[in-house]
Amino acid sequence: MCAVEAGKRGRRVAVIEHADRAGKKILISGGGRCNFTNIHCQPENFISANPHFAKSALARYTPADFIALVEKHRIPYHEKTLGQLFCDRSADDILTMLEAECEAVGVKIFLRNRISEVQRTTEFVVRAESAVFRAPALVVATGGLSIPKMGATAFGYELARQFGLSLRKTKPGLVPLVLGAGDRRQYCHLAGVSAEVAVSADHRRFQEKMLFTHRGLSGPAILQISSYWNAGATIRIDLTPGRDVAATIRDAKVRNMTAARSAFQEFLPHRFAVRWLDLHPPVAWNNPALAILDRQTHEWALVPEGTEGYEKAEVTAGGLDTNELSSKTMESRKVPGLFFVGEVVDVTGQLGGYNFQWAWASGVSAGRAL
């Protein structure tokens, strides 16, 4: 996006890519359908040490702008849920579109080029395997540490350090959570079972699907909360959001475990309902005891052991400190001509197309300033 925008302004642009095709992460996104934006995108959907930083770029390049580009290329798409837009066919449509836009404005993409050195004298000098590139401006669009098997590295952060720029601590974001050994023994035989729940941590709450895995918890609700969760902290899970499961038990002809299981199975998968009740039986069947059961149902507390790490994380939270950059142009305040865009910057979107929109918007901001 940055290259296209700079190319439109008559700049000579080289995209130096270490993989055998640019944009490989696009191809695996959204289950291969590429959740390319979210129509409800707002600055509140992003995590950053400076929550105001993303506002400028997001306001100047909106989801509607990217949708217009998609429609110009006649790419069929659909809204799935919660404003998430996906390709009807495959993610390859988005990548082909971006390659075509680059070609149309004369952008040259150099594949299979690992960079050995970056210097700055009167201009930037980038030594790559096939050539030495020289330019008055350099844009770092290297992404974060997520999914190393796709080629993710710390190169962008190393460049930032080389030029004396500050970084915010990184951690895996939008990542499955791993439960402690005791909880794994109790729940992980439910791997593959999912339920609609509301998960809370750090004053944030997400109501979506939760999925049991062989090592812990995943699914959209868990991925969302993982970006806000910190090691050692508790997550709280509302198993029956907006519903009073205890009322069904209170109204039963006979209050017993059979009635309780029947009540829970109205809202939860059979195996999960049985297991959870076996581990959280009411101490009695009177109203006060059922009130306690109801509270437990809405505030099931777990302390995850950790996350599945960068190997399974969709994004990297943290990164280049936004205080180092102009929010309008993404240019370094200390090093003129040096720009950082996308995931390498300390701006992390929630699940649902927000990280792509940040990539497009930050790229366009830099491209218009080159």
Side-chain angles (χ1 to χ4, degrees):
M1 288 299 284
C2 178
V4 168
E5 210 62 29
K8 286 179 187 173
R9 301 174 62 244
R11 303 294 187 258
R12 290 179 64 219
V13 185
V15 175
I16 308 170
E17 169 63 63
H18 71 233
D20 56 5
R21 189 178 183 189
K24 282 180 117 175
K25 258 193 176 179
I26 292 172
L27 296 177
I28 65 166
S29 66
R33 292 268 177 109
C34 188
N35 178 194
F36 56 81
T37 192
N38 192 300
I39 57 177
H40 304 311
C41 186
Q42 298 291 331
E44 294 73 38
N45 298 116
F46 295 85
I47 306 165
S48 174
N50 176 2
H52 301 291
F53 180 82
K55 289 180 178 178
S56 178
L58 292 170
R60 284 180 297 118
Y61 192 83
T62 67
D65 294 318
F66 194 79
I67 291 166
L69 183 61
V70 169
E71 290 178 346
K72 173 185 144 186
H73 285 259
R74 295 187 172 85
I75 296 172
Y77 65 92
H78 60 278
E79 180 182 348
K80 199 169 180 182
T81 54
L82 305 172
Q84 302 169 41
L85 300 187
F86 287 79
C87 296
D88 284 359
R89 293 186 299 239
S90 87
D92 195 61
D93 284 349
I94 297 295
L95 187 45
T96 301
M97 174 190 82
L98 294 172
E99 289 171 335
E101 288 285 312
C102 281
E103 190 175 350
V105 292
V107 170
K108 295 282 190 292
I109 300 176
F110 295 85
L111 301 175
R112 302 181 188 87
N113 260 284
R114 293 199 173 272
I115 295 167
S116 58
E117 188 179 30
V118 177
Q119 295 175 309
R120 182 172 180 264
T121 51
T122 54
E123 59 188 350
F124 290 94
V125 181
V126 177
R127 300 183 192 284
E129 285 174 331
S130 71
V132 176
F133 299 85
R134 300 174 188 276
L138 176 67
V139 182
V140 180
T142 53
L145 300 169
S146 309
I147 319 183
K149 68 181 180 186
M150 295 296 295
T153 71
F155 185 62
Y157 307 132
E158 290 161 6
L159 268 184
R161 286 193 195 95
Q162 178 187 326
F163 287 101
L165 308 185
S166 298
L167 297 168
R168 291 272 173 181
K169 185 179 178 183
T170 60
K171 70 172 189 176
L174 301 180
V175 63
L177 297 175
V178 175
L179 294 177
D183 287 327
R184 282 205 300 275
R185 279 194 298 274
Q186 291 178 331
Y187 296 107
C188 287
H189 67 285
L190 297 170
V193 172
S194 69
E196 175 96 5
V197 300
V199 188
S200 306
D202 193 29
H203 311 294
R204 294 283 175 158
R205 187 175 190 270
F206 295 95
Q207 184 171 329
E208 287 188 73
K209 289 275 190 186
M210 175 184 79
L211 172 73
F212 285 96
T213 70
H214 291 291
R215 283 164 46 84
L217 301 172
S218 189
I222 296 297
L223 297 183
Q224 292 281 36
I225 211 66
S226 71
S227 295
Y228 296 91
W229 176 78
N230 292 305
T234 300
I235 63 168
R236 297 189 184 279
I237 303 172
D238 183 346
L239 297 175
T240 57
R243 299 179 174 117
D244 184 358
V245 71
T248 308
I249 305 171
R250 280 196 302 269
D251 295 342
K253 287 180 181 177
V254 180
R255 295 182 182 184
N256 57 19
M257 191 58 88
T258 301
R261 285 176 180 155
S262 176
F264 271 76
Q265 284 164 14
E266 286 183 34
F267 309 115
L268 295 172
H270 178 91
R271 288 171 57 210
F272 180 31
V274 170
R275 186 61 175 154
W276 195 85
L277 272 170
D278 285 348
L279 294 168
H280 302 84
V283 294
W285 296 104
N286 56 35
N287 287 352
L290 291 179
I292 292 170
L293 176 68
D294 190 59
R295 190 162 62 250
Q296 284 180 304
T297 306
H298 293 299
E299 293 185 3
W300 180 31
L302 289 169
V303 180
E305 183 179 271
T307 76
E308 290 284 6
Y310 291 113
E311 286 75 15
K312 298 281 183 70
E314 295 196 15
V315 291
T316 303
L320 182 72
D321 192 329
T322 55
N323 291 325
E324 298 284 6
L325 304 177
S326 158
S327 62
K328 184 178 180 184
T329 66
M330 304 290 132
E331 185 174 16
S332 165
R333 297 183 185 281
K334 292 176 184 168
V335 186
L338 181 61
F339 298 74
F340 288 79
V341 299
E343 189 184 355
V344 72
V345 179
D346 175 32
V347 175
T348 305
Q350 295 172 352
L351 187 73
Y354 299 107
N355 287 292
F356 270 128
Q357 187 58 36
W358 169 245
W360 316 140
S362 60
V364 165
S365 292
R368 289 173 179 171
L370 288 172

Coordinates of all heavy atoms in Angstrom, one line a residue, residues 175-232:
V175 N -3.8 -14.8 20.4 CA -3.1 -16.1 20.5 C -3.9 -17.0 21.5 O -4.5 -16.6 22.5 CB -1.7 -15.9 21.1 CG1 -1.7 -15.3 22.5 CG2 -0.9 -17.1 21.0
P176 N -4.0 -18.3 21.2 CA -4.6 -19.3 22.2 C -3.9 -19.3 23.5 O -2.7 -19.0 23.6 CB -4.4 -20.6 21.5 CG -4.3 -20.3 20.0 CD -3.5 -19.0 20.0
L177 N -4.7 -19.5 24.6 CA -4.1 -19.6 25.9 C -3.9 -21.0 26.3 O -4.7 -21.9 26.0 CB -5.1 -18.9 26.9 CG -5.3 -17.4 26.7 CD1 -6.4 -16.9 27.6 CD2 -4.1 -16.6 26.8
V178 N -2.9 -21.2 27.1 CA -2.5 -22.6 27.6 C -2.9 -22.6 29.1 O -2.6 -21.7 29.9 CB -1.0 -22.8 27.5 CG1 -0.6 -24.2 28.2 CG2 -0.6 -22.8 26.0
L179 N -3.6 -23.7 29.5 CA -4.1 -23.8 30.9 C -3.0 -24.5 31.7 O -2.1 -25.2 31.2 CB -5.4 -24.6 31.0 CG -6.6 -23.9 30.3 CD1 -7.8 -24.8 30.4 CD2 -6.9 -22.6 31.0
G180 N -3.0 -24.4 33.0 CA -2.1 -25.1 33.9 C -2.4 -26.6 33.9 O -3.5 -27.0 33.5
A181 N -1.5 -27.3 34.4 CA -1.6 -28.8 34.4 C -2.9 -29.3 35.0 O -3.6 -30.2 34.4 CB -0.4 -29.4 35.1
G182 N -3.3 -28.7 36.1 CA -4.6 -29.2 36.8 C -5.8 -28.9 35.9 O -6.6 -29.8 35.7
D183 N -5.9 -27.7 35.4 CA -7.0 -27.4 34.5 C -7.0 -28.2 33.2 O -8.1 -28.6 32.7 CB -7.1 -25.9 34.2 CG -7.5 -25.1 35.4 OD1 -8.3 -25.6 36.2 OD2 -7.0 -23.9 35.6
R184 N -5.8 -28.5 32.7 CA -5.7 -29.3 31.5 C -6.3 -30.7 31.7 O -7.0 -31.2 30.9 CB -4.3 -29.4 31.0 CG -3.8 -28.2 30.3 CD -2.6 -28.5 29.3 NE -1.5 -29.1 30.0 CZ -0.5 -28.4 30.5 NH1 -0.5 -27.1 30.6 NH2 0.6 -29.0 31.1
R185 N -6.0 -31.3 32.9 CA -6.5 -32.6 33.2 C -8.0 -32.6 33.3 O -8.7 -33.5 32.9 CB -5.9 -33.1 34.5 CG -4.5 -33.7 34.4 CD -4.1 -34.5 35.7 NE -4.1 -33.6 36.8 CZ -3.0 -32.9 37.2 NH1 -1.9 -32.9 36.5 NH2 -3.0 -32.1 38.3
Q186 N -8.5 -31.5 33.8 CA -10.0 -31.4 34.0 C -10.8 -31.1 32.8 O -11.9 -31.5 32.6 CB -10.3 -30.4 35.1 CG -9.8 -30.8 36.5 CD -10.0 -29.8 37.6 OE1 -10.1 -28.6 37.3 NE2 -10.2 -30.2 38.8
Y187 N -10.2 -30.3 31.8 CA -11.0 -29.8 30.7 C -10.5 -30.2 29.3 O -11.3 -30.1 28.4 CB -11.1 -28.3 30.8 CG -11.8 -27.8 32.0 CD1 -11.1 -27.2 33.1 CD2 -13.2 -27.9 32.2 CE1 -11.7 -26.8 34.2 CE2 -13.8 -27.5 33.3 CZ -13.1 -26.9 34.4 OH -13.8 -26.5 35.5
C188 N -9.2 -30.5 29.1 CA -8.7 -30.6 27.8 C -9.2 -31.9 27.0 O -8.9 -32.0 25.8 CB -7.2 -30.4 27.7 SG -6.8 -28.7 28.0
H189 N -9.8 -32.8 27.7 CA -10.4 -33.9 27.0 C -11.6 -33.4 26.2 O -12.2 -34.1 25.4 CB -10.9 -35.0 27.9 CG -12.0 -34.6 28.9 ND1 -11.8 -33.8 29.9 CD2 -13.3 -34.9 28.8 CE1 -13.0 -33.6 30.5 NE2 -13.9 -34.3 29.9
L190 N -12.0 -32.1 26.4 CA -13.1 -31.5 25.7 C -12.6 -30.9 24.4 O -13.4 -30.1 23.7 CB -13.8 -30.5 26.6 CG -14.5 -30.9 27.8 CD1 -14.9 -29.8 28.7 CD2 -15.7 -31.8 27.5
A191 N -11.4 -31.1 24.0 CA -10.8 -30.5 22.8 C -11.8 -30.6 21.6 O -12.3 -31.7 21.3 CB -9.5 -31.1 22.5
G192 N -12.0 -29.5 21.0 CA -13.0 -29.5 19.8 C -14.3 -29.0 20.2 O -15.1 -28.6 19.3
V193 N -14.7 -28.9 21.5 CA -16.0 -28.4 21.9 C -15.9 -26.9 22.0 O -14.9 -26.3 22.5 CB -16.3 -29.0 23.3 CG1 -17.6 -28.4 23.9 CG2 -16.5 -30.5 23.2
S194 N -17.0 -26.3 21.5 CA -17.0 -24.8 21.5 C -18.3 -24.3 22.1 O -19.3 -25.0 22.1 CB -16.8 -24.2 20.2 OG -17.9 -24.4 19.3
A195 N -18.3 -23.1 22.7 CA -19.5 -22.5 23.2 C -19.4 -21.0 23.1 O -18.3 -20.4 23.1 CB -19.6 -22.9 24.7
E196 N -20.6 -20.3 23.0 CA -20.7 -18.9 23.0 C -20.6 -18.4 24.4 O -21.4 -18.8 25.3 CB -22.0 -18.4 22.4 CG -22.3 -16.9 22.4 CD -21.9 -16.2 21.2 OE1 -21.5 -16.9 20.2 OE2 -22.0 -15.0 21.2
V197 N -19.6 -17.6 24.7 CA -19.3 -17.1 26.1 C -18.9 -15.7 26.0 O -18.8 -15.1 25.0 CB -18.2 -17.9 26.8 CG1 -18.5 -19.4 26.9 CG2 -16.9 -17.7 26.1
A198 N -18.8 -15.1 27.2 CA -18.2 -13.7 27.3 C -17.0 -13.8 28.2 O -17.1 -14.3 29.4 CB -19.2 -12.7 27.9
V199 N -15.8 -13.4 27.7 CA -14.6 -13.5 28.5 C -14.1 -12.1 28.8 O -14.1 -11.2 28.0 CB -13.5 -14.2 27.6 CG1 -12.3 -14.5 28.5 CG2 -14.0 -15.5 27.1
S200 N -13.6 -12.0 30.1 CA -13.2 -10.7 30.6 C -11.8 -10.7 31.2 O -11.4 -11.7 31.8 CB -14.1 -10.2 31.7 OG -15.5 -10.2 31.3
A201 N -11.0 -9.6 31.0 CA -9.7 -9.4 31.6 C -9.3 -8.0 31.4 O -9.7 -7.4 30.3 CB -8.7 -10.4 31.0
D202 N -8.7 -7.4 32.4 CA -8.2 -6.1 32.3 C -9.2 -5.1 31.8 O -9.0 -4.2 30.9 CB -6.9 -6.0 31.3 CG -6.2 -4.7 31.4 OD1 -6.2 -4.1 32.5 OD2 -5.6 -4.3 30.4
H203 N -10.4 -5.2 32.4 CA -11.6 -4.3 32.1 C -12.0 -4.4 30.6 O -12.7 -3.4 30.1 CB -11.2 -2.8 32.4 CG -10.6 -2.6 33.8 ND1 -11.3 -2.8 34.9 CD2 -9.3 -2.3 34.1 CE1 -10.5 -2.7 36.0 NE2 -9.3 -2.3 35.5
R204 N -11.7 -5.5 30.0 CA -12.3 -5.7 28.6 C -13.1 -6.9 28.6 O -12.9 -7.9 29.4 CB -11.1 -5.9 27.6 CG -10.2 -4.6 27.4 CD -11.0 -3.7 26.5 NE -10.2 -2.4 26.4 CZ -10.4 -1.6 25.4 NH1 -11.2 -1.8 24.4 NH2 -9.7 -0.5 25.3
R205 N -14.1 -6.9 27.7 CA -15.0 -8.1 27.7 C -15.4 -8.4 26.2 O -15.7 -7.4 25.5 CB -16.3 -7.7 28.5 CG -17.3 -8.9 28.6 CD -18.4 -8.4 29.5 NE -19.3 -9.5 30.0 CZ -20.4 -9.9 29.3 NH1 -20.8 -9.3 28.2 NH2 -21.2 -10.9 29.8
F206 N -15.3 -9.6 25.8 CA -15.7 -10.0 24.5 C -16.6 -11.2 24.5 O -16.4 -12.2 25.2 CB -14.4 -10.4 23.7 CG -13.4 -9.3 23.5 CD1 -12.4 -9.1 24.3 CD2 -13.6 -8.4 22.4 CE1 -11.5 -8.0 24.1 CE2 -12.8 -7.3 22.2 CZ -11.7 -7.1 23.1
Q207 N -17.7 -11.1 23.8 CA -18.7 -12.2 23.7 C -18.6 -12.8 22.3 O -19.1 -12.2 21.3 CB -20.1 -11.7 24.0 CG -21.1 -12.8 24.0 CD -22.5 -12.4 24.5 OE1 -22.6 -11.5 25.4 NE2 -23.5 -13.1 24.0
E208 N -18.0 -14.0 22.3 CA -17.9 -14.7 21.0 C -17.7 -16.2 21.4 O -17.9 -16.6 22.5 CB -16.8 -14.2 20.1 CG -17.1 -12.8 19.5 CD -16.0 -12.4 18.5 OE1 -15.9 -13.1 17.4 OE2 -15.2 -11.5 18.8
K209 N -17.3 -17.0 20.4 CA -17.1 -18.4 20.6 C -15.8 -18.7 21.4 O -14.8 -18.0 21.1 CB -17.0 -19.2 19.3 CG -18.4 -19.3 18.6 CD -19.2 -20.4 19.1 CE -20.4 -20.7 18.2 NZ -21.2 -21.7 18.8
M210 N -15.8 -19.6 22.3 CA -14.6 -20.2 22.9 C -14.5 -21.6 22.5 O -15.5 -22.3 22.5 CB -14.8 -20.0 24.5 CG -13.6 -20.7 25.2 SD -13.9 -20.6 27.0 CE -15.1 -22.0 27.2
L211 N -13.2 -22.1 22.3 CA -13.0 -23.4 21.8 C -12.0 -24.1 22.8 O -10.9 -23.5 23.1 CB -12.4 -23.4 20.4 CG -11.9 -24.7 19.8 CD1 -13.1 -25.6 19.5 CD2 -11.0 -24.4 18.6
F212 N -12.3 -25.3 23.2 CA -11.3 -26.1 24.0 C -10.3 -26.7 23.0 O -10.7 -27.2 21.9 CB -12.0 -27.2 24.8 CG -12.7 -26.7 26.0 CD1 -14.1 -26.4 25.9 CD2 -12.0 -26.5 27.2 CE1 -14.8 -26.0 27.0 CE2 -12.7 -26.0 28.3 CZ -14.1 -25.7 28.2
T213 N -9.0 -26.7 23.4 CA -7.9 -27.3 22.6 C -7.3 -28.4 23.5 O -7.6 -28.5 24.7 CB -6.9 -26.3 22.2 OG1 -6.1 -25.8 23.4 CG2 -7.5 -25.0 21.5
H214 N -6.3 -29.0 23.0 CA -5.6 -30.1 23.7 C -4.7 -29.5 24.8 O -4.4 -30.2 25.8 CB -4.7 -30.9 22.8 CG -5.5 -31.8 21.8 ND1 -6.3 -32.8 22.3 CD2 -5.7 -31.7 20.5 CE1 -6.9 -33.4 21.3 NE2 -6.6 -32.7 20.2
R215 N -4.5 -28.2 24.7 CA -3.6 -27.5 25.8 C -4.3 -26.4 26.5 O -3.7 -25.9 27.4 CB -2.3 -27.0 25.1 CG -1.3 -28.1 24.8 CD -0.2 -27.7 23.8 NE 0.4 -26.4 24.1 CZ 1.4 -26.2 24.9 NH1 1.8 -27.2 25.6 NH2 1.9 -25.0 25.1
G216 N -5.5 -26.0 26.1 CA -6.1 -24.9 26.7 C -7.3 -24.4 26.0 O -8.2 -25.2 25.6
L217 N -7.3 -23.1 25.7 CA -8.5 -22.4 25.2 C -8.2 -21.6 24.0 O -7.1 -21.0 23.9 CB -9.1 -21.5 26.2 CG -9.6 -22.2 27.5 CD1 -10.0 -21.1 28.6 CD2 -10.8 -23.1 27.3
S218 N -9.1 -21.6 23.0 CA -8.9 -20.8 21.8 C -10.3 -20.3 21.4 O -11.2 -20.2 22.2 CB -8.2 -21.6 20.7 OG -7.8 -20.7 19.6
G219 N -10.4 -20.0 20.1 CA -11.7 -19.4 19.6 C -11.6 -17.9 19.7 O -10.8 -17.3 20.4
P220 N -12.5 -17.2 18.9 CA -12.5 -15.7 18.8 C -12.5 -15.0 20.2 O -11.7 -14.0 20.4 CB -13.7 -15.4 18.0 CG -14.0 -16.6 17.2 CD -13.5 -17.8 18.0
A221 N -13.3 -15.4 21.1 CA -13.4 -14.7 22.4 C -12.0 -14.8 23.1 O -11.6 -13.8 23.7 CB -14.5 -15.3 23.3
I222 N -11.4 -16.0 23.1 CA -10.1 -16.1 23.8 C -9.0 -15.4 23.1 O -8.1 -14.7 23.7 CB -9.7 -17.6 23.9 CG1 -10.8 -18.4 24.8 CG2 -8.3 -17.8 24.4 CD1 -10.8 -17.9 26.2
L223 N -9.0 -15.4 21.7 CA -8.0 -14.7 21.0 C -8.1 -13.2 21.3 O -7.1 -12.5 21.5 CB -8.1 -14.9 19.5 CG -7.9 -16.4 19.0 CD1 -8.0 -16.4 17.4 CD2 -6.6 -16.9 19.4
Q224 N -9.3 -12.7 21.3 CA -9.5 -11.3 21.6 C -8.9 -10.9 23.0 O -8.2 -9.9 23.1 CB -11.0 -10.9 21.6 CG -11.6 -11.0 20.2 CD -11.4 -9.7 19.4 OE1 -10.3 -9.2 19.4 NE2 -12.3 -9.4 18.6
I225 N -9.3 -11.7 24.0 CA -8.9 -11.3 25.4 C -7.4 -11.5 25.6 O -6.8 -10.9 26.4 CB -9.7 -12.1 26.4 CG1 -9.9 -11.3 27.7 CG2 -9.1 -13.4 26.8 CD1 -10.7 -10.0 27.5
S226 N -6.8 -12.4 24.8 CA -5.3 -12.7 25.0 C -4.5 -11.5 24.8 O -3.4 -11.4 25.4 CB -4.9 -13.8 24.0 OG -4.8 -13.3 22.6
S227 N -4.9 -10.5 23.9 CA -4.1 -9.3 23.7 C -4.1 -8.4 24.9 O -3.2 -7.6 25.1 CB -4.6 -8.6 22.5 OG -4.4 -9.3 21.3
Y228 N -5.1 -8.6 25.8 CA -5.2 -7.7 27.0 C -4.7 -8.5 28.2 O -4.5 -7.9 29.3 CB -6.7 -7.3 27.2 CG -7.2 -6.4 26.1 CD1 -7.8 -7.0 24.9 CD2 -7.0 -5.1 26.1 CE1 -8.3 -6.2 23.9 CE2 -7.5 -4.3 25.1 CZ -8.1 -4.8 24.0 OH -8.6 -4.1 22.9
W229 N -4.6 -9.8 28.1 CA -4.2 -10.6 29.3 C -2.7 -10.5 29.5 O -1.9 -10.5 28.6 CB -4.6 -12.1 29.0 CG -4.2 -13.0 30.1 CD1 -4.7 -13.2 31.4 CD2 -3.0 -13.9 30.1 NE1 -4.1 -14.1 32.1 CE2 -3.0 -14.6 31.4 CE3 -2.0 -14.2 29.2 CZ2 -2.0 -15.5 31.7 CZ3 -1.1 -15.1 29.5 CH2 -1.1 -15.8 30.8
N230 N -2.3 -10.5 30.8 CA -0.9 -10.5 31.2 C -0.6 -11.7 32.0 O -1.5 -12.1 32.8 CB -0.5 -9.2 31.9 CG -0.6 -8.0 31.0 OD1 0.1 -7.9 30.0 ND2 -1.4 -7.0 31.4
A231 N 0.6 -12.2 31.9 CA 1.0 -13.4 32.6 C 0.6 -13.4 34.1 O 0.9 -12.3 34.8 CB 2.5 -13.7 32.5
G232 N 0.0 -14.4 34.7 CA -0.3 -14.5 36.1 C -1.7 -13.9 36.4 O -2.2 -14.1 37.5

